[in-house]
Amino acid sequence: MTRLYNKSTETLKRKNLRSNMPPAEVILWSQLKGRQIGGYKFRRQYSVEKFVVDFYCPELKLAIEIDGESHFVEGAVERDEERQRIVESTGIRFVRFTNRDIYEKLHGVLCKINECVNSS
């Protein structure tokens, strides 16, 4: 059986991403860590297949991705769609927000995450 989650080949990538989280991810992580949302444990920089998602709740099979500037350059949308399709093919639900959503509408972001949690 092929291992899908947190492959050892992605360990250094995950560690580097955790050490260099963008400000929007730091803000959202402060709201997710410590089981603050519905009592569920979220992990940061979790790998699925060859991809790393920003946040993941194994119990809910819910991935949360924060799209910064790098997600809006040429070709990025197509890569993101393919990545999301592959992650979702493993049975994981995927929800996306932008940096701007985190900075300007954090309450709305948390409400949307709560909706995802409550619909499980």
Side-chain angles (χ1 to χ4, degrees), residues 10-36:
E10 305 302 314
T11 300
L12 288 177
K13 184 191 308 183
R14 289 191 312 270
K15 283 183 178 182
N16 184 44
L17 289 168
R18 279 193 297 271
S19 297
N20 298 296
M21 289 173 63
E25 288 182 22
V26 171
I27 290 167
L28 186 56
W29 179 239
S30 73
Q31 301 297 307
L32 294 175
K33 68 182 179 179
R35 299 180 184 267
Q36 296 180 72

Side-chain angles (χ1 to χ4, degrees), residues 5-103:
Y5 307 105
N6 277 346
K7 290 182 176 184
S8 59
T9 57
E10 305 302 314
T11 300
L12 288 177
K13 184 191 308 183
R14 289 191 312 270
K15 283 183 178 182
N16 184 44
L17 289 168
R18 279 193 297 271
S19 297
N20 298 296
M21 289 173 63
E25 288 182 22
V26 171
I27 290 167
L28 186 56
W29 179 239
S30 73
Q31 301 297 307
L32 294 175
K33 68 182 179 179
R35 299 180 184 267
Q36 296 180 72
I37 305 267
Y40 291 100
K41 181 173 183 71
F42 283 84
R43 300 177 186 280
R44 58 190 172 133
Q45 308 306 335
Y46 192 84
S47 64
V48 179
E49 294 280 351
K50 63 181 180 176
F51 305 106
V52 178
V53 295
D54 294 328
F55 304 103
Y56 179 66
C57 178
E59 194 173 351
L60 299 171
K61 293 194 86 166
L62 174 65
I64 300 172
E65 185 68 14
I66 308 302
D67 293 342
E69 281 84 44
S70 67
H71 293 267
F72 300 103
V73 298
E74 186 176 327
V77 171
E78 293 80 14
R79 286 190 301 273
D80 283 345
E81 287 172 352
E82 175 70 6
R83 176 176 174 252
Q84 183 170 339
R85 186 190 62 73
I86 291 169
V87 170
E88 288 177 331
S89 75
T90 68
I92 294 172
R93 291 181 301 148
F94 210 96
V95 62
R96 289 186 172 280
F97 302 101
T98 64
N99 283 354
R100 176 172 263 162
D101 293 333
I102 303 299
Y103 298 140

